[in-house]
Amino acid sequence: MLKKYVYFFGNGKAEGNAKMKNTLGGKGANLAEMTSLGISVPPGFTISAEVCNHYYKHSEKYPDGLKEEVEKNLSELEETSQKKFGDVENPLLVSVRSGAAISMPGMMDTILNLGLNDKSVVGLAKLTDNERFAYDAYRRFIQMFGDVALGIEHKKFEQEIEAIKEKHDIELDTDMTINDLKELVERYKELYKREGKEFPQDPLKQLWVAIDAVFGSWMNKRAVDYRRLNKIPEDALLGTAVSVVSMVFGNMGNNSGTGVAFTRDPSTGEKLRYGEFLRNAQGEDVVAGIRTPESLEGLKKVSEEAYNELFKIFDVLENHYRDMQDVEFTVERGKLYMLQTRSAKRTAMAAVKVAIDMVDEKLITKEEAVMRVTPDHVDQLLHPMFDPHEKKRVIEENKLIAKGLPASPGAAAGKVVFSAKLAEEMGTNEPVVLVRPETSPEDVAGMVAAQGILTARGGRTSHAAVVARGMGKCAVVGCEAIDVDEESKEFHVANTSVKEGEWISIDGSTGEVFVGNIKTIKPKGLEGNLSTLLEWADEIRRLGIRTNADIPRDAKVARAFGAEGIGLCRTEHMFFQNDRIPAVREMIASETKEQREKALSKLLPIQKEDFKGLFRVMKGLPVTIRLIDPPLHEFLPKEEKAQKKLAVDLGISFDRVKEIVETLHEFNPMMGHRGCRLTITYPEIAVMQTKAIILASIELKKEENIEVIPEIMVPLVGHVNELKYVKNIITETADGLIEGSGVDLKYLVGTMIEVPRAAVTADQIAKEAEFFSFGTNDLTQMTFGFSRDDSGKFLKDYLDKGILKVDPFKTLDKDGVGALVKMAKEKGRSVKHDLQLGICGEHGGDPESIKTVDEIGLDYVSCSPYRVPIARLSAAQSALQLNQQK
Amino acid sequence: MLKKYVYFFGNGKAEGNAKMKNTLGGKGANLAEMTSLGISVPPGFTISAEVCNHYYKHSEKYPDGLKEEVEKNLSELEETSQKKFGDVENPLLVSVRSGAAISMPGMMDTILNLGLNDKSVVGLAKLTDNERFAYDAYRRFIQMFGDVALGIEHKKFEQEIEAIKEKHDIELDTDMTINDLKELVERYKELYKREGKEFPQDPLKQLWVAIDAVFGSWMNKRAVDYRRLNKIPEDALLGTAVSVVSMVFGNMGNNSGTGVAFTRDPSTGEKLRYGEFLRNAQGEDVVAGIRTPESLEGLKKVSEEAYNELFKIFDVLENHYRDMQDVEFTVERGKLYMLQTRSAKRTAMAAVKVAIDMVDEKLITKEEAVMRVTPDHVDQLLHPMFDPHEKKRVIEENKLIAKGLPASPGAAAGKVVFSAKLAEEMGTNEPVVLVRPETSPEDVAGMVAAQGILTARGGRTSHAAVVARGMGKCAVVGCEAIDVDEESKEFHVANTSVKEGEWISIDGSTGEVFVGNIKTIKPKGLEGNLSTLLEWADEIRRLGIRTNADIPRDAKVARAFGAEGIGLCRTEHMFFQNDRIPAVREMIASETKEQREKALSKLLPIQKEDFKGLFRVMKGLPVTIRLIDPPLHEFLPKEEKAQKKLAVDLGISFDRVKEIVETLHEFNPMMGHRGCRLTITYPEIAVMQTKAIILASIELKKEENIEVIPEIMVPLVGHVNELKYVKNIITETADGLIEGSGVDLKYLVGTMIEVPRAAVTADQIAKEAEFFSFGTNDLTQMTFGFSRDDSGKFLKDYLDKGILKVDPFKTLDKDGVGALVKMAKEKGRSVKHDLQLGICGEHGGDPESIKTVDEIGLDYVSCSPYRVPIARLSAAQSALQLNQQK
């Protein structure tokens, strides 16, 4: 038996349906579905995308029997429409359209009015009682067919029109007479000949040439490029389908017209009919934008019946598809035809409102509502955005000067400053954007004061990126195209220079950098509808959501966003503030254990208060505190001037300061003396930090009756003995304090899993750990051997050349890093079945990574405060998807 | 039934034997064995080390029944020796000795003459007919017992002697009269009382106090420290055994004496009786070194019978133990007693000769011979060593000033120079040692010219270490104690300064740094015996042995040492030579692909000739060539002066050079833009290198009829797509050239596995690779997250604190890195069963790592030329050990 390749629809019956998008394309599938729903759709048939697949697999041959099948369907179409292809009395005209499962620019779009020839044009004239209309349609068809199907340059057709207009001294196309149009038809035929082509008079031949053209367009450069750029693998789709639909005409006079509409307002989500209508026009006129369309009320004036039917259809479609629809329709002499329906694109605000409303309307379940909103939608609602009109304008004005990595979402405009200090000074009075080669902890105060941060170097997990995300502040990083000249206080990009004080605007969601001041729109925040939706998400998700927060301000934001604990408190971030950095530096400069302990004793009360602040905010929720992690050189000033001052402050020689800096210099600090390696060399630091944590907990319990669940986390463990050694210091210190306090305090000791060896030997490590928290930034770094601060240089090439599909610092690499996480989970749980498992890398806020982590079976994700709402949604979506897979 | 804890030996029968070292200690086991062999050994018994184990597991209590068992054995001993403990006529005297399975300083050594008391001393006097001897023995016993068993300070006993000598105006101890000695005995007893102790008159009580003392000494500080420093885990041994042996006296007159002997010469291995003999003396006199011993011929003069018997015993022992023995013996009144035998310590030269000779003598098999020589022995034979006497002298003179990492074995002395340039200049005329903070490729010529290299920074796999090993040149690296001041041309260590031009001596096998010029001994090289032994090793080993070599000179050395191919040729090392570095720099400074290709075209003929040189040496053997690996900045000069010159050379501005250097700067270059990442960005480099490899192969085949098996290796692959991309460039380039040449050339394309992700996804990568070569330097680095250049700082702490047992850059970490290698092997072979697997990291030359690799089942190891002989031996030993385990 031959395989079925062609699917007919018409007269209320269809062989296809909406689920067959893969074979019929979105357009064909929905035309079939609407037909079956009894909606008025012009009849037609769709040639399956499997034909396209066969075509390319068999050196551009069609499968056996296709010709016969198409012709059979054509006969059926003639019968249904009671017209005949090429007929001089009552000709059948069709449109031929391409359409794949997902919308894809670059392929051949549409040929209208196919079936016209020297005979049938006469029939059309009779049928419409409008000879001018018929010849205009004919010459348009010849032109479109030549251009789209045969590749004759569009402008050559235009030249013929110009020639006629010149000859007859006409100004507008519409001023051409019937005879002019007839002459144009002849001139077009001549043009074909000059180009070595022939205009086929046989409509069947026309049809096959058009079908060839559609399938041929699947592999044209634009389409291939589009798939490459959008990371659609060549084998993800079968190819394109071809829909052949009988023509209806919206330009048959004042009782005709055409329009597009949304079943709800795509900007706000309100349940308002929304659309545009153009009387006496065809679809292409709407697109061309020559005439300004009316609102849908215009349709009412043309035909109240059609108007009412359209709205009835809206209800039918929404009830059937259970989603907001975006439709195209045509009214031919008062009769409404639907030409397309699809799920409508919408803004973030609309997406949330529509989802919530449809649950209220009992159209969809809460679970479906949760699936309808994307993480990007949530992100948009939480950050400032550029006014889209303004942004469009500046792009047209060529003010987009560079593109970096979109490191922290949102939009910002401000005056360029090149130093954190100046940012602090100016930032209180006017908006500034801090532009740095890269940032370091010294720049944090300046980052707080700035509207946004732009760096020339560093990746998505660089200092600038991590800190900015923590603050919910817009940042573009690793913008290698810009060359920052701090001395002359300007940055260069290509031939442009931007001086300190000039305005720039940056988009942290796209990585774009503009010169000039683009207006931004304030975020909506976690208001009613979004809040409701996320509560539903909370009911669905299995994963816990914690936050990465170092200070009470961030912790508060995260709590308001729904965080259920702190998954990562980076204690060293506390060390950079002005009141404590001197003691930290004194500690680093110490030559003996005693000196070091003296300096640490100054830090103890400060750090204890820090922890009390955090614990108060997270009342009763777990707080994971990581012991000191970065290499010590990060706490020392880099500039000679500051180093000289430090020498004075510490009462030591400048030479000694230089010596310390020199000693602490490392070739590869990321793999150097940091993490638990520091506390192994200087156990007294772990003692101080443990004291601060435990004393803070005890005091809060005694004085304010606040429950604290501290989880003390040892970073950068690769060998169980490292954890054993540091854990011993922690428990000795903590147990002593707790015993003496008379308070019953539970605390956990666990480790980050961020070194590959830790994952490989997780069974050994689990014996000493009460929890694992996967530090997937470092784990990604070391598993790939990609320095996160340097990888910007080559990752771009990797993505461009398709070597990697996504930036592994953005989305967790499932095959490599994910496999290690899974291995660690399995090995860890094999030893300790209740081992608590979480992830605290930047991936904790990335939807796809959250799904990977959910699938692996960790207990929670922890992410920066502004990602918490996104994580809540993503975790719920992941749970629903995983459930479905089961 | 009670467990047996005490083992008797005497009268030609013994309950123990030589295999029971673990329970009887080395000494006890061999005394038993010799007894069974019919050799004259004083009778005695050994208390098992299991008692020691029980003692510490049960809060210092002995197992039930031990007391009775010891007393039973004591009775048997009395019977056998026909003497009685504490007897006034014929007293039994014993020595009490500790002894564990392995020799361990720090424990209680020996108590002699136990059993003497106020009564038995009279018996001894009668028995020996020498009252003075008896009382001298008595006072010595009281002294030793007080000191060793009861902890009374040694010097307090000396003070009593001094007091008597002063009182009687005597100068020498030997001038003391019998009465003096009797007085001394009384004074000693008084001393015991003053110290709150009592000297037990009951010999049985003496014995139990002595046994307590031996078991107590197992956990004393010195013994615990020794085990910690020598990485002997506390649970590796049961504890110490106690041997109680009846006394024989070498000091009973001129027909008595004592000696130590070797069955062959321990320095040369020649079959010469070798030893020392002291007439009328006890063992402690030999050790004390007061009198100069005679050769063994001295024994002949005392007793020809004993002399002949000793040599008969030598044969018995060698035939029985099938190894060279180190014995202690005593002659009491003409009768020979053997007090100890053990496998003799020997020099490298002796070890090899003895092994070979014993095979000739059919004493041992070739397999046993191969197990008898250690890799360290082989290493010693290949490198210069310090004259041991000279070295001892300078240590006594406190000239050992620092200790770094022993990075490349051998010894060197020379004048200090601080720059590679000066090393080149001076090095041709006189020996120099290059001292640098760290080395870089710019220093290579200076390293060639120097006798040795000393760096303040870097680990075992740092540039200095790797390059020095490749050259077989002595190097000490990461000597953090020294502070190199290049400006003032001196280095400081503690309070010492060493100026340029002063002599230092460094030992690359131990890491020691001395001031002054220590005489070195030239290495023997791969002469007769060693060569024979390694041929036997070759017959036994399963693993192939290749070498890491970049230039023909190294390749030749490696071939002479038995390498079976090149496992790693680092092409970039070729780039640093004077005739090519300009083109390399031109390539780096290129702004367009065309400029880059132009520069590369200059390198092509040079690199082609390089490969031809290597291929000629390795005729017909496989040569694995790694494409360019290091980050490009390594090829640029670091100093401003050189950068200015570069600007002139390249005809570009100094600013542009600075800009290039700045652009190439990386925070963590080890994880930066290097390895295949370079060829992905600049495919034209891979094209040039492939051309050079393939053209060299084709030309050699055509012009010189030399077979070449090039294996092209892509470095730093972490994702299969990286390999796919580069492989595609290689095969396109290579296949085109081969096709055009008319020559039939086979080549392989494979990858290094040095990034953890490559191991985790090895099944994916194996689809594109014909071989894997494990780059365990980088793999260790990234698996641990230890920068090999920076880890010196904390690894010392790790080793000192027992967190790591060995430096993972020296010995492959089995649990972590090894597990990844195993995973990669299994995953890789699951996809491609004949996938070729090797290791080319520095571990390839480390005996323990070779065993790990053999166990995992790789095909070959590749190591630096001077490690090839060691690897051959180690691979054979591994094969034998693994066979035995089966």
Side-chain angles (χ1 to χ4, degrees), chain B residues 604-782:
Chain B
L604 175 60
I606 303 176
Q607 183 135 70
K608 191 185 74 186
E609 288 308 315
D610 288 334
F611 291 136
K612 285 173 89 167
L614 271 187
F615 292 157
R616 269 190 207 104
V617 176
M618 302 310 289
K619 202 178 302 190
L621 296 177
V623 177
T624 309
I625 297 169
R626 180 178 72 183
L627 300 184
I628 186 169
D629 184 53
L632 297 181
H633 71 80
E634 284 197 10
F635 299 101
L636 296 181
K638 291 197 184 65
E639 321 234 306
E640 200 171 288
K641 215 174 108 187
Q643 290 176 357
K644 279 188 175 147
K645 187 175 172 305
L646 178 61
V648 175
D649 290 350
L650 294 179
I652 59 179
S653 70
F654 176 48
D655 275 353
R656 170 79 186 123
V657 171
K658 278 200 299 186
E659 191 187 315
I660 293 166
V661 171
E662 171 70 11
T663 308
L664 293 178
H665 167 78
E666 291 181 313
F667 297 98
N668 295 285
M670 203 48 94
M671 302 193 290
H673 198 186
R674 52 173 285 240
C676 66
R677 299 164 198 173
L678 285 175
T679 38
I680 287 170
T681 311
Y682 309 116
E684 46 280 8
I685 302 180
V687 170
M688 182 281 280
Q689 293 202 301
T690 303
K691 274 187 190 167
I693 294 165
I694 299 297
L695 287 176
S697 309
I698 291 172
E699 289 177 16
L700 278 186
K701 207 158 177 178
K702 276 189 172 171
E703 295 161 11
E704 304 175 34
N705 197 26
I706 289 176
E707 280 299 318
V708 183
I709 312 176
E711 304 182 346
I712 304 178
M713 179 153 74
V714 182
L716 216 69
V717 163
H719 194 291
V720 60
N721 287 348
E722 294 175 308
L723 179 58
K724 222 185 227 173
Y725 185 89
V726 182
K727 182 185 171 187
N728 199 32
I729 297 167
I730 295 170
T731 52
E732 270 187 18
T733 307
D735 294 348
L737 291 173
I738 295 170
E739 217 173 303
S741 73
V743 160
D744 180 29
L745 178 74
K746 297 260 175 304
Y747 68 97
L748 302 183
V749 181
T751 181
M752 297 250 308
I753 302 285
E754 52 187 334
V755 169
R757 195 183 186 283
V760 175
T761 62
D763 44 349
Q764 296 173 13
I765 291 174
K767 287 188 190 140
E768 298 293 328
E770 285 161 296
F771 64 86
F772 284 173
S773 177
F774 291 91
T776 50
N777 295 351
D778 272 10
L779 192 59
T780 297
Q781 191 161 232
M782 292 178 203

Side-chain angles (χ1 to χ4, degrees), chain A residues 219-244:
Chain A
M219 281 296 177
N220 73 21
K221 192 171 173 311
R222 271 183 61 211
V224 171
D225 283 354
Y226 179 86
R227 290 194 291 272
R228 194 173 49 77
L229 288 175
N230 288 276
K231 328 253 181 240
I232 304 166
E234 281 301 335
D235 54 1
L237 299 172
L238 284 168
T240 179
V242 183
S243 288
V244 178

Side-chain angles (χ1 to χ4, degrees), chain A residues 12 28 62 240 279 292 389 537 699 855:
Chain A
Y62 291 124
T240 179
R279 190 186 291 209
T292 307
H389 304 291
E699 288 177 15
E855 217 172 331

Side-chain angles (χ1 to χ4, degrees), chain B residues 4 17 84 120 171 187 250 270 284 295 370 402 404 467 492 501 534 539 557 571 610-611 671 768 808 832 841 845 848:
Chain B
K4 185 174 178 61
N17 62 55
K84 267 196 96 62
S120 61
E171 246 184 68
R187 278 174 173 265
E270 281 175 289
E284 47 177 349
S295 76
V370 163
V467 174
H492 311 280
L534 291 179
E539 291 164 15
V557 171
T571 50
D610 288 334
F611 291 136
M671 302 193 290
E768 298 293 328
K832 200 169 269 178
E848 205 162 324

Side-chain angles (χ1 to χ4, degrees), chain B residues 527-596:
Chain B
E527 43 86 77
N529 279 333
L530 180 55
S531 180
T532 306
L533 189 87
L534 291 179
E535 279 162 28
W536 295 347
D538 291 344
E539 291 164 15
I540 294 164
R541 66 183 160 85
R542 183 193 65 78
L543 279 173
I545 312 289
R546 296 194 188 182
T547 191
N548 300 349
D550 314 326
I551 53 171
R553 186 192 63 207
D554 293 352
K556 263 181 215 147
V557 171
R559 283 285 287 133
F561 281 162
E564 299 160 328
I566 289 181
L568 176 62
C569 162
R570 287 153 295 206
T571 50
E572 65 273 7
H573 282 197
M574 301 171 170
F575 287 176
F576 286 105
Q577 286 168 48
N578 287 334
D579 56 337
R580 43 203 85 177
I581 190 79
V584 174
R585 289 172 175 169
E586 185 184 325
M587 171 190 86
I588 294 169
S590 298
E591 296 190 60
T592 66
K593 194 178 165 199
E594 288 65 37
Q595 285 176 5
R596 206 155 30 242

Side-chain angles (χ1 to χ4, degrees), chain A residues 732-745:
Chain A
E732 270 187 16
T733 308
D735 294 349
L737 291 173
I738 295 170
E739 218 172 301
S741 75
V743 160
D744 180 30
L745 179 73

Side-chain angles (χ1 to χ4, degrees), chain A residues 663 680 722 787 798 801, chain B residues 663 671 680 722 793 798 801:
Chain A
T663 309
I680 287 170
E722 295 175 308
S787 161
Y798 271 50
K801 294 184 177 179
Chain B
T663 308
M671 302 193 290
I680 287 170
E722 294 175 308
K793 282 181 193 167
Y798 271 51
K801 295 186 176 178

Side-chain angles (χ1 to χ4, degrees), chain A residues 540-559:
Chain A
I540 294 164
R541 65 184 160 86
R542 183 192 65 77
L543 278 173
I545 311 290
R546 297 195 189 179
T547 192
N548 300 350
D550 315 325
I551 52 172
R553 187 191 63 206
D554 292 352
K556 264 181 215 150
V557 171
R559 282 285 287 133

